[in-house]
Amino acid sequence: MSDHEADVIGRIVDKLLESRKYRNIFRPALENVARWASKRYPRQREAEKAAKRKLHHVYGAYMTSGQLARVEELVKGIEAAECPDEKAVCREVLKCHASTWERLGHIKDMYRDIAEIIGQPRSVLELACGLNPFARPFMGLAPDASYLCIDIDCRLISQVKRFLARLPGRNEARCGAILLSVPADECDVVFLLKTLPCLERQEAGASLRILKALNATNVVVTFPRRSLSGRCRGMDGHYMGIMGDLINELGWEMSELRYPLETVYVLKTRAR
């Protein structure tokens, strides 16, 4: 990369960091988007707008700054209460993100059904986790199970850390971007919940590249059954085709679970 290219990318990132919406995003992720935008739009202002559009589509459309502020209030409430009803508070937190809000109606059934296929995992890695770590009490994990989650939103991850510190087991939250670095952590299961479409919008072929790099016995991939606007025409068939192509390439076993708002694919990798 030339000094000029680095300077352009740096200026785009600085503008993104001025935005209240994106200032808490993992900086290498912002640099990656800025690099993409600068290659396609020679004028900086156009590149900045393109970078913001990209970030909105893959991140900003799912949760507002106000909703994240609500999460912070709820976490403070858990910490202040002597005997908090953690599951009730977690449900309120999960309502603050479009993806996890849609999961609330089938959350218990989903984790029970996954466990029936793969057994009770002792180690879980969740990538691009969003607010789903607040579903940890619903996952039915053993008290000494390990749970590691990663997301590009560092402000969100700070709240996840505070919450997970209260729970039994080995729990950890990290800020990171899986497009840039796929964790090598060995685990029983990786959760990629409603994540692959966002990855593909940023980098064509990212799904296959990331799935191949995982060091897990099982991978759980899910897709929404309707768009954020409520449309659902053709989505099931489209995502089923994507998964069929991935499985043909990977040679893994696949089971399908279907709920009103989400389709779940449980993949056995034969990694161990």
Side-chain angles (χ1 to χ4, degrees):
M1 182 189 304
S2 68
D3 290 343
H4 173 71
E5 290 171 326
D7 181 61
V8 170
I9 291 169
R11 282 186 271 121
I12 294 172
V13 170
D14 288 343
K15 285 294 184 181
L16 293 173
L17 290 171
E18 290 176 6
S19 166
R20 181 180 179 186
K21 195 172 185 179
Y22 302 122
R23 65 189 177 194
N24 296 297
I25 300 298
F26 186 55
R27 186 181 179 99
L30 292 181
E31 291 172 348
N32 192 47
V33 173
R35 187 177 301 109
W36 167 86
S38 68
K39 289 179 179 179
R40 286 158 179 79
Y41 299 90
R43 296 182 180 179
Q44 183 177 332
R45 180 166 292 186
E46 292 176 346
E48 290 169 9
K49 290 180 179 179
K52 288 180 179 179
R53 285 196 302 270
K54 175 75 75 173
L55 287 169
H56 176 76
H57 290 151
V58 302
Y59 162 78
Y62 299 91
M63 183 173 60
T64 66
S65 296
Q67 287 170 319
L68 186 49
R70 171 65 174 155
V71 172
E72 291 170 337
E73 292 177 1
L74 290 165
V75 171
K76 286 180 181 178
I78 293 176
E79 293 174 331
E82 290 186 9
C83 299
D85 185 345
E86 288 189 343
K87 285 190 174 181
V89 178
C90 285
R91 283 186 172 275
E92 291 302 310
V93 170
L94 295 171
K95 290 178 183 178
C96 294
H97 192 286
S99 179
T100 48
W101 175 82
E102 291 180 341
R103 189 171 298 125
L104 279 173
H106 60 267
I107 192 167
K108 292 182 180 179
D109 293 338
M110 186 183 85
Y111 288 111
R112 180 201 63 213
D113 295 343
I114 291 170
E116 287 180 358
I117 296 172
I118 69 173
Q120 200 62 260
R122 307 290 298 182
S123 51
V124 176
L125 170 62
E126 181 153 10
L127 302 177
C129 62
L131 289 179
N132 203 61
F134 288 89
R136 172 78 167 77
F138 301 97
M139 293 180 186
L141 301 179
D144 61 344
S146 66
Y147 176 78
L148 167 62
C149 56
I150 298 173
D151 197 85
I152 64 170
D153 188 330
C154 299
R155 181 181 172 191
L156 180 152
I157 284 294
S158 70
Q159 299 307 306
V160 171
K161 286 180 178 179
R162 291 168 61 182
F163 172 69
L164 292 179
R166 302 177 52 85
L167 302 184
R170 293 165 289 148
N171 302 299
E172 183 183 357
R174 299 178 192 164
C175 200
I178 59 172
L179 276 177
L180 304 178
S181 177
V182 181
D185 303 71
E186 184 176 336
C187 60
D188 292 331
V189 61
V190 170
F191 288 142
L192 279 163
L193 308 185
K194 300 182 185 176
T195 298
L196 296 192
C198 291
L199 296 178
E200 289 295 327
R201 288 191 195 105
Q202 297 172 79
E203 178 193 318
S207 298
L208 181 60
R209 175 175 66 81
I210 289 170
L211 289 171
K212 283 183 174 180
L214 296 175
N215 188 14
T217 308
N218 306 280
V219 180
V220 175
V221 172
T222 80
F223 295 96
R225 298 192 66 193
R226 68 179 187 185
S227 67
L228 290 176
S229 63
R231 297 177 181 176
C232 58
R233 186 168 58 185
M235 290 183 68
D236 286 344
H238 174 65
Y239 290 134
M240 186 181 298
I242 288 174
M243 286 308 303
D245 292 342
L246 288 171
I247 289 302
N248 287 338
E249 183 71 27
L250 293 164
W252 296 352
E253 296 177 6
M254 180 174 74
S255 301
E256 179 183 312
L257 302 168
R258 189 166 291 192
Y259 306 97
L261 297 178
E262 188 170 18
T263 302
V264 178
Y265 295 98
V266 183
L267 315 178
K268 289 185 174 291
T269 72
R270 307 187 188 96
R272 287 186 281 161

